[in-house]
Amino acid sequence: MLAGVFVLGLFHWAHRFRFMLEHGLKLGRFDRAIAVCSYGTALLGSIAAIWVLLTV
């Protein structure tokens, strides 16, 4: 349950960060790179959070 909160929170952050970069800062031409970086960071953070929860 707690892992789900972390995963959803990180992916929510990734989506908001991507939207801010693409639309707020007008960097839409880098759409694919921004998506890979933001969602990749959310994925790695989710894996790390789940690992910490399982090992504690």
Side-chain angles (χ1 to χ4, degrees), residues 15-36:
H15 179 72
R16 297 295 300 246
F17 187 70
R18 178 183 177 196
F19 185 84
M20 189 258 321
L21 288 178
E22 290 179 6
H23 300 286
L25 297 179
K26 308 275 193 249
L27 295 175
R29 62 186 176 271
F30 301 114
D31 177 49
R32 187 162 308 244
I34 292 170
V36 168

Side-chain angles (χ1 to χ4, degrees), residues 3 46-56:
S46 297
I47 291 169
I50 291 169
W51 180 76
V52 167
L53 286 174
L54 291 176
T55 58
V56 169

